Amino acid sequence: MLTKGQARTFFVGGTLFFSAIFLALTVDTLRQMPERQNSELMTASVVRGKMIWENENCMGCHTILGEGAYYAPELTRAVDRRGEEWIRIFLRDPQAMYPGRRKMVQYDFSEEQITDVIAFLGWIGQIDTNGFPPEPDMAPAVVVASVPAASTGPRPAYFDTICVACHSVGGKGGLVGPALDGVASRIDAEYLDRWLANPQAVKPGTAMPNLGLTDDQRAELVAWLVTLQ
Amino acid sequence: MKFRSQRVSYLFFATALVLLVLQICFGFIMGFAHMGFDVLHDVITFNVARSSHVNLLVFWLLSGFMGAAYYIVPEEADRELVSERLAVVQWAGLVVVGVAAIIGFQFGWWEGRKFLEIPRPLDYLVVVDILLFIYVVGRTALSAERFTTTGIVLLLGLTSAALLYLPGMITFDSQVIDSYFRWWVVHLWVEGVWELIMGGMLSFLLIKLTGVDREVIEKWLYVIVGFTFLSGILGTGHHYYYIGAPEYWLLVGGLFGALEPLAFLGMAMYAVSMVRRGGMDHPNKIALFWTVGCSVMAFVGAGFLGFSHTLPQVNIWTHGTIITAMHGHMAFWGAYAMIVLAMISYAMPNLTGRKRYLGPLPEWAFWTSNVGMIGMTGAFAVAGIAQVYMERRIGMDFLAVQEAVEVHFTGVVLAAMLLSFGIGLFIWNFVQYGLPSDEALERR
């Protein structure tokens, strides 16, 4: 039968043995990190972005690399998913983008700080994470029933990065604002143009934010929206 | 109590219970926010509530462990503490740091690093305070004529916990490496050295409550803590799957992470079998309830529920979802909250000389708080599974999913009310005991 001395040897020996392996693996991990995390892409802006990330305790609501709190979205691939432009507009006034829904703190970041946060998130998005976050694998089965996209002409890139956060076309996009399928049969180009230029002037109190579009961006969007019959 | 200086543990136990109440309050703020009622958003934002909730947990458990050590070490060393006054100073230091940290959080004075949000200047104070603690209990142990295995395991755990706090204080520019060493603190605490502390406390309580021979209990203590480190050290790898660390961590973390429940299973079998073997009919049944309950709930919460998403092929979907909160709540409750409550239940009659463990009140405290925690875990599980399928596997929008699972947080909050009721009874019982009294000193 096991004696107390043998039990102690098992404890001490096992602990030392596995600690040694753990330290060896740590050395190897640190050796591989420059390549896995693309150290050459870690600019001063990225590092400043991480400081902002920590100072504001973003992890207290969001997750990044799957770590943090579960109150706000996972941000590992945020730049891929939303694009820099969307994140910039969002961070200027987070609650304008999701009116009446779960609130993010209004941080009043400067434009430089927003640039740093985006640089940090962009760098995070390129880390080799062994496949996290995974692509949704059950999506095809669910999307089969949705409406096919009904548009002619190419979608403006701006629509795909900004507008889809709230509006859907062909069953894809956000649910905050109305779906835009067939919008051209309800609203004409002149109204759309005024609306996009200043939503509050057309309909005071609307949840639609003023996105500060340039004349060219607005014209391109309107030209495409009127094709959605 | 055998030694007058053991009474200092009362201060730590009382502090632990006050902090526990505060922790629960911040928990409710988050529970309501998840239900859609973030009415306090402009006063206490979610990240403030969260860091307060988590750090209060760490503080009250540490306070409980320290109180337990000040109670256990004199008995195991068979002498008074070297200095009761220093122990009181150390207690005051802990309270000051804790209060400063929690107030600081309300004003955004923190480091946004999960579990280690305490700002750097306070980190140094924590280190000084813990060194003082280790000095007092360590000197007591070293100047004793004999010191037991139970005492050694307990002090080894507390000292290693202090040492392992240090990697969390290094600054890195890389989020990945920052995270890598953050887990040295967090994982190696809760799935490593804190289990030594828990094991030491469990062993002490079993020796006192069951009457089984010390040699037998301590032999199995070594086996169990041996299994803890055998699985727990490399089990750290289950936090390294998807944060940017190399791919071999999937294998290493998966294999050793899957072995981690064995230590907790061993702990549960150990407690149950010692109780069955022991012929002693100790009158403080409620301390035995908490002791055995702790070992069983630790196995279910930390062992079984941890195993449910430790394998990499499951974890890739559940990583960073409410599933983690499900496992986390019952794990900390079972393994660490309950052992502290067990220790308080055992120590209070001895410190005060009053036998308030009789009657229905302490039993109701035990059952309602445990049923409440089981209910919370169940509600978190449903919300978490729904989130994993809707958001991760089907690809639905984050906020749409959160709104869909709001109803399950009603379940979390209701169950939390039951838990709070139980904790309220426990604290009422604690207050009834009154203060430590010299009349409770055993004649020698």
Side-chain angles (χ1 to χ4, degrees):
Chain A
M1 190 55 195
L2 185 76
T3 66
K4 193 166 162 184
Q6 289 167 331
R8 183 168 52 228
T9 309
F10 165 73
F11 164 61
V12 175
T15 302
L16 290 177
F17 178 71
F18 287 104
S19 300
I21 296 182
F22 186 60
L23 286 176
L25 290 176
T26 296
V27 170
D28 185 71
T29 298
L30 293 178
R31 190 183 58 77
Q32 292 197 35
M33 280 324 295
E35 196 187 328
R36 296 184 62 90
Q37 69 176 2
N38 309 302
S39 289
E40 72 282 2
L41 301 179
M42 281 177 66
T43 60
S45 179
V46 169
V47 175
R48 284 196 303 271
K50 177 179 183 269
M51 290 298 292
I52 296 171
W53 177 264
E54 280 181 14
N55 289 340
E56 304 298 355
N57 193 6
C58 306
M59 254 184 166
C61 295
H62 291 276
T63 51
I64 195 164
L65 302 170
E67 298 183 334
Y70 321 114
Y71 191 64
E74 173 24 76
L75 297 180
T76 305
R77 298 268 184 259
V79 176
D80 268 358
R81 196 167 67 234
R82 296 298 198 189
E84 293 187 12
E85 189 58 22
W86 188 94
I87 297 173
R88 185 173 290 280
I89 293 173
F90 175 75
L91 282 178
R92 284 179 193 144
D93 186 1
Q95 291 174 24
M97 210 69 123
Y98 293 100
R101 303 179 83 194
R102 191 171 284 182
K103 293 182 187 118
M104 177 171 158
V105 178
Q106 168 71 44
Y107 281 109
D108 298 317
F109 288 131
S110 68
E111 289 301 308
E112 291 73 38
Q113 286 177 315
I114 293 180
T115 305
D116 292 341
V117 170
I118 293 172
F120 172 66
L121 292 174
W123 169 73
I124 288 279
Q126 292 176 54
I127 294 171
D128 181 352
T129 55
N130 297 330
F132 180 84
E135 284 297 314
D137 64 340
M138 289 180 171
V142 177
V143 169
V144 165
S146 75
V147 194
S151 95
T152 56
R155 282 154 75 123
Y158 194 83
F159 187 89
D160 280 333
T161 52
I162 310 294
C163 310
V164 287
C166 298
H167 297 280
S168 69
V169 169
K172 280 193 148 183
L175 303 171
V176 180
L180 296 178
D181 304 279
V183 66
S185 61
R186 302 193 293 272
I187 300 169
D188 63 15
E190 184 268 339
Y191 183 94
L192 276 172
D193 192 61
R194 274 195 296 131
W195 173 249
L196 288 173
N198 188 356
Q200 291 296 334
V202 179
K203 191 172 159 194
T206 177
M208 169 91 180
N210 185 340
L211 297 165
L213 301 172
T214 63
D215 289 348
D216 285 347
Q217 283 172 328
R218 207 166 68 242
E220 192 189 1
L221 276 174
V222 171
W224 179 70
L225 285 169
V226 296
T227 66
L228 298 175
Q229 286 295 343
Chain B
M1 59 186 159
K2 285 189 179 145
F3 300 95
R4 172 176 285 158
S5 57
Q6 283 178 298
R7 66 187 177 178
V8 76
S9 58
Y10 177 86
L11 290 175
F12 288 86
F13 293 151
T15 307
L17 293 177
V18 171
L19 298 180
L20 167 60
V21 170
L22 276 175
Q23 187 207 356
I24 292 175
C25 294
F26 283 105
F28 272 112
I29 293 176
M30 288 192 286
F32 281 116
H34 267 288
M35 280 170 70
F37 305 112
D38 57 347
V39 285
L40 288 177
H41 176 79
D42 295 321
V43 193
I44 302 173
T45 53
F46 190 89
N47 53 359
V48 169
R50 185 193 152 96
S51 25
S52 305
H53 181 72
V54 170
N55 285 273
L56 279 164
L57 168 71
V58 175
F59 267 112
W60 86 257
L61 291 178
L62 281 180
S63 186
F65 291 164
M66 287 171 173
Y70 284 130
Y71 187 90
I72 294 173
V73 168
E75 286 206 15
E76 298 297 288
D78 202 28
R79 58 158 294 163
E80 296 279 357
L81 289 172
V82 285
S83 167
E84 195 183 339
R85 184 172 300 170
L86 273 182
V88 174
V89 170
Q90 189 260 315
W91 166 78
L94 185 77
V95 171
V96 167
V97 176
V99 168
I102 299 305
I103 293 177
F105 288 169
Q106 315 305 313
F107 300 98
W109 190 42
W110 54 20
E111 285 172 22
R113 299 159 72 231
K114 192 178 180 183
F115 303 123
L116 303 180
E117 286 92 343
I118 298 175
R120 202 52 55 89
L122 289 183
D123 278 341
Y124 294 111
L125 285 181
V126 170
V127 171
V128 171
D129 192 69
I130 292 180
L131 284 177
L132 185 59
F133 164 75
I134 289 178
Y135 172 79
V136 177
V137 289
R139 268 299 297 278
T140 306
L142 288 175
S143 50
E145 282 172 20
R146 59 162 195 111
F147 196 58
T148 62
T149 299
T150 298
I152 292 170
V153 170
L154 181 67
L155 288 196
L156 191 64
L158 289 160
T159 313
S160 330
L163 283 177
L164 281 168
Y165 192 65
L166 302 178
M169 291 171 60
I170 313 170
T171 309
F172 298 100
D173 284 342
S174 159
Q175 180 72 24
V176 179
I177 298 172
D178 203 309
S179 197
Y180 187 92
F181 286 106
R182 202 168 45 79
W183 288 116
W184 276 39
V185 187
V186 179
H187 176 93
L188 291 178
W189 264 13
V190 301
E191 274 148 302
V193 297
W194 278 27
E195 281 186 57
L196 292 195
I197 301 171
M198 176 196 172
M201 289 166 73
L202 196 60
S203 156
F204 175 81
L205 288 165
L206 290 172
I207 290 167
K208 299 292 173 185
L209 293 169
T210 66
V212 174
D213 183 42
R214 178 183 282 274
E215 282 299 301
V216 176
I217 289 187
E218 292 185 339
K219 175 176 82 183
W220 290 107
L221 175 64
Y222 270 134
V223 174
I224 287 164
V225 294
F227 268 107
T228 298
F229 279 151
L230 185 148
S231 58
I233 296 174
L234 290 177
T236 315
H238 67 205
H239 297 287
Y240 296 161
Y241 296 159
Y242 306 118
I243 64 165
E247 210 172 346
Y248 53 68
W249 285 113
L250 298 181
L251 181 70
V252 175
L255 190 63
F256 288 89
L259 292 176
E260 280 179 5
L262 284 182
F264 284 106
L265 180 64
M267 205 93 77
M269 286 165 58
Y270 170 68
V272 172
S273 68
M274 292 305 154
V275 171
R276 291 174 72 100
R277 260 169 94 156
M280 193 161 81
D281 195 17
H282 197 284
N284 191 347
K285 284 273 171 292
I286 203 66
L288 200 58
F289 269 44
W290 283 105
T291 306
V292 176
C294 156
S295 69
V296 173
M297 290 289 272
F299 169 65
V300 177
F304 181 78
L305 294 180
F307 180 77
S308 75
H309 73 140
T310 195
L311 295 176
Q313 50 274 56
V314 178
N315 192 258
I316 194 159
W317 300 106
T318 60
H319 182 48
T321 65
I322 298 164
I323 292 288
T324 315
M326 174 271 298
H327 156 56
H329 277 81
M330 202 194 263
F332 273 95
W333 170 255
Y336 301 120
M338 286 183 78
I339 195 72
V340 170
L341 299 180
M343 195 64 215
I344 295 176
S345 300
Y346 171 74
M348 283 309 284
N350 303 343
L351 289 170
T352 61
R354 300 186 185 90
K355 295 185 169 59
R356 304 303 304 229
Y357 47 72
L358 302 170
L361 185 68
E363 275 190 39
W364 274 87
F366 176 85
W367 289 111
T368 49
S369 57
N370 273 288
V371 171
M373 180 50 80
I374 292 168
M376 282 175 72
T377 308
F380 272 125
V382 177
I385 293 165
Q387 183 194 11
V388 166
Y389 276 86
M390 289 194 282
E391 184 191 330
R392 292 288 167 83
R393 303 203 67 172
I394 295 173
M396 274 173 68
D397 174 62
F398 178 86
L399 273 184
V401 174
Q402 291 292 310
E403 280 157 16
V405 301
E406 273 174 3
V407 61
H408 304 302
F409 279 89
T410 314
V412 170
V413 166
L414 285 174
M417 285 175 181
L418 190 61
L419 170 87
S420 312
F421 177 72
I423 298 297
L425 293 181
F426 189 93
I427 291 173
W428 178 236
N429 190 219
F430 182 86
V431 172
Q432 282 183 330
Y433 272 112
L435 297 171
S437 156
D438 283 351
E439 284 166 26
L441 273 171
E442 282 172 31
R443 294 240 177 86
R444 297 168 65 77

